Amino acid sequence: MAHILIVEGQVPLGELWKRHIERSGARADLVSDAEGAMRVLNLEAVDLLVVDLALPDGGALTVADYAGYRRPAAKVIFVTSTTFFSDGSIFQHAANACAMLPADTSLDDLVALVDHYAAGT
């Protein structure tokens, strides 16, 4: 069973993602900030991260960078409500980035990507 770490500052949205991901058979944990993500990454094997790109103080890239160090096989799906990085440059800033989605992506599409990228774990 894949272990997914969701890092989303808007907890109700993160809980919605978590429920849908768990319905697909994965284990999911939700944290609301970079510090929480680092705690989970220190303690547990994580296969895939779903990270809100709008975390304060560059937290999303900090989380991706730390995941690359602590869990080098883990991939990161970034979710954003802005057009920043819409040129695809996120893949130059985060070597473990595998996708970037708009925040209004359907839950079914988010779960399909999570299933796809977690399948190799």
Side-chain angles (χ1 to χ4, degrees), residues 11-105:
V11 174
L13 177 59
E15 288 173 345
L16 183 64
W17 293 349
K18 182 179 187 288
R19 283 192 305 273
H20 278 77
I21 290 169
E22 288 175 335
R23 278 189 214 142
S24 75
R27 176 180 163 217
D29 286 322
L30 170 64
V31 296
S32 61
D33 57 24
E35 292 81 17
M38 287 185 230
R39 276 193 300 275
V40 172
L41 290 166
N42 278 331
L43 298 173
E44 300 184 43
V46 172
D47 301 302
L48 180 74
L49 293 87
V50 178
V51 180
D52 178 0
L53 196 53
L55 291 176
D57 301 320
L61 292 176
T62 300
V63 168
D65 187 50
Y66 193 72
Y69 164 70
R70 282 300 284 160
R71 306 294 172 191
K75 295 178 177 132
V76 180
I77 296 175
F78 288 102
V79 180
T80 184
S81 59
T82 70
T83 58
F84 201 71
F85 290 119
S86 63
D87 62 353
S89 62
I90 190 69
F91 299 101
Q92 295 171 347
H93 296 283
N96 50 359
C98 63
M100 188 169 94
L101 302 172
D104 62 355
T105 297

Side-chain angles (χ1 to χ4, degrees), residues 1-4 6 16-28 48 50 107-119:
M1 172 184 337
H3 182 196
I4 313 304
I6 302 165
L16 183 64
W17 293 349
K18 182 179 187 288
R19 283 192 305 273
H20 278 77
I21 290 169
E22 288 175 335
R23 278 189 214 142
S24 75
R27 176 180 163 217
L48 180 74
V50 178
L107 292 171
D108 289 340
D109 289 346
L110 174 64
V111 170
L113 276 175
V114 167
D115 287 348
H116 172 75
Y117 285 110

